[in-house]
Amino acid sequence: MSVKDEIRHKVWNRLTEEKLGRFPFPLVGRIPNVKGAEKAASLVQSMDIYKSASVVKVNPDAPQLPLRAAILKDGKTLLIPTPRLKDGFVMIKPEWVPAGEERKAASIKHMNTYGKVVPLTDVPGIDLIVVGSVAIHPDGRRLGKGEGYADREYAILREIGNKPVPVITTINSEQLVEDDIPRDSYDLAVDWVITEKGITETHTPYPKPSGIEWDHVTEDEMEKMPILKELKSFSGGTDL
């Protein structure tokens, strides 16, 4: 087991033992749905970088559902990556959602009913990015569930010309770790960590991806994620 996986399993086990997780179970192998997610979402709503944002991209996992719903209630456009990036991004505009149906619209089950998949050429400029996490170091180093989607999503958006934007994560405070998280060049560090206890700026020293590192993209990934093929033709990426 890699050092990254050891840290992930330590956090998953801690959350399980302390009964801090919620459906779906088991917590292992996913961005864990944790108690305190609603409080963390409300704290995000108090942040200036949130208040000034018009378009917010949020991961599709369960602990970020309260925040996705809040984004629509607050009259902002929500962008959600499709699971495993299979179809790219779903955009939901607040005017497309009847009052009272924001939580339903922001759910993975119903997001395609209220929103629509947008091609890369039509992705709006994003002002703020929210990612789910398994473990976070106070300096902004992050571990997701191990499949690299958050890292790649940020790189895709930069590749199509989106400006560098703040990245925040909402977690339970027990997901903060002091472990020396190994870091690869394509890993996404976060600028703000929001837990049920408060808001912390990481002042991370680590750069964010400026685009796709094509030499790290396999033929299998290209087949499983058509958006990468679209991006390659869009950006003129180098051949594998």
Side-chain angles (χ1 to χ4, degrees):
M1 188 181 291
S2 70
V3 173
K4 286 184 175 182
D5 277 337
E6 287 177 4
I7 297 170
R8 287 185 185 102
H9 280 275
K10 185 168 74 172
V11 171
W12 283 323
N13 290 340
R14 181 191 307 157
L15 293 173
T16 301
E17 290 164 5
E18 297 185 13
K19 295 182 168 51
L20 293 172
R22 301 187 294 195
F23 180 85
F25 294 103
L27 304 181
V28 175
R30 68 175 84 244
I31 301 296
N33 191 14
V34 287
K35 294 177 181 178
E38 290 79 10
K39 176 61 176 177
S42 69
L43 288 172
V44 172
Q45 289 178 278
S46 73
M47 300 172 69
D48 288 339
I49 56 172
Y50 174 84
K51 291 176 181 177
S52 64
S54 297
V55 181
V56 186
K57 184 189 85 68
V58 186
N59 58 296
D61 301 281
Q64 281 70 46
L65 175 57
L67 182 56
R68 294 196 300 273
I71 288 165
L72 294 172
K73 287 180 183 176
D74 291 337
K76 303 176 188 294
T77 295
L78 174 63
L79 210 70
I80 309 174
T82 55
R84 311 188 85 80
L85 267 184
K86 189 170 177 57
D87 295 315
F89 300 93
V90 171
M91 179 174 69
I92 309 175
K93 294 200 170 194
E95 59 266 30
W96 298 347
V97 181
E101 296 182 27
E102 293 88 359
R103 189 177 177 92
K104 183 178 178 183
S107 69
I108 297 310
K109 185 176 181 180
H110 297 287
M111 66 181 185
N112 287 90
T113 303
Y114 291 83
K116 64 179 183 180
V117 174
V118 289
L120 290 179
T121 49
D122 293 343
V123 172
I126 293 165
D127 304 306
L128 179 65
I129 290 175
V130 181
V131 295
S133 302
V134 173
I136 290 285
H137 190 279
D139 68 7
R141 281 177 288 171
R142 168 190 173 275
L143 289 178
K145 60 181 176 285
E147 296 178 337
Y149 289 108
D151 311 313
R152 192 151 282 171
E153 288 156 14
Y154 188 93
I156 287 170
L157 294 171
R158 294 288 287 121
E159 194 85 39
I160 63 174
N162 206 86
K163 64 188 177 185
V165 296
V167 176
I168 68 177
T169 191
T170 55
I171 60 169
N172 184 279
S173 54
E174 289 299 315
Q175 293 173 262
L176 278 168
V177 301
E178 292 295 337
D179 302 75
D180 186 17
I181 296 176
R183 196 173 176 283
D184 294 301
S185 60
Y186 45 80
D187 285 342
L188 180 64
V190 302
D191 302 296
W192 297 87
V193 177
I194 293 83
T195 76
E196 78 286 0
K197 293 182 178 179
I199 300 168
T200 304
E201 187 173 5
T202 66
H203 301 286
T204 186
Y206 301 105
K208 295 179 178 61
S210 58
I212 294 288
E213 295 186 18
W214 291 104
D215 54 339
H216 289 289
V217 179
T218 66
E219 290 284 3
D220 185 52
E221 288 172 327
M222 291 285 279
E223 290 302 319
K224 289 180 178 176
M225 288 183 268
I227 191 172
L228 290 175
K229 288 186 176 180
E230 182 187 354
L231 179 65
K232 206 166 188 187
S233 63
F234 180 74
S235 65
T238 56
D239 288 338
L240 290 172

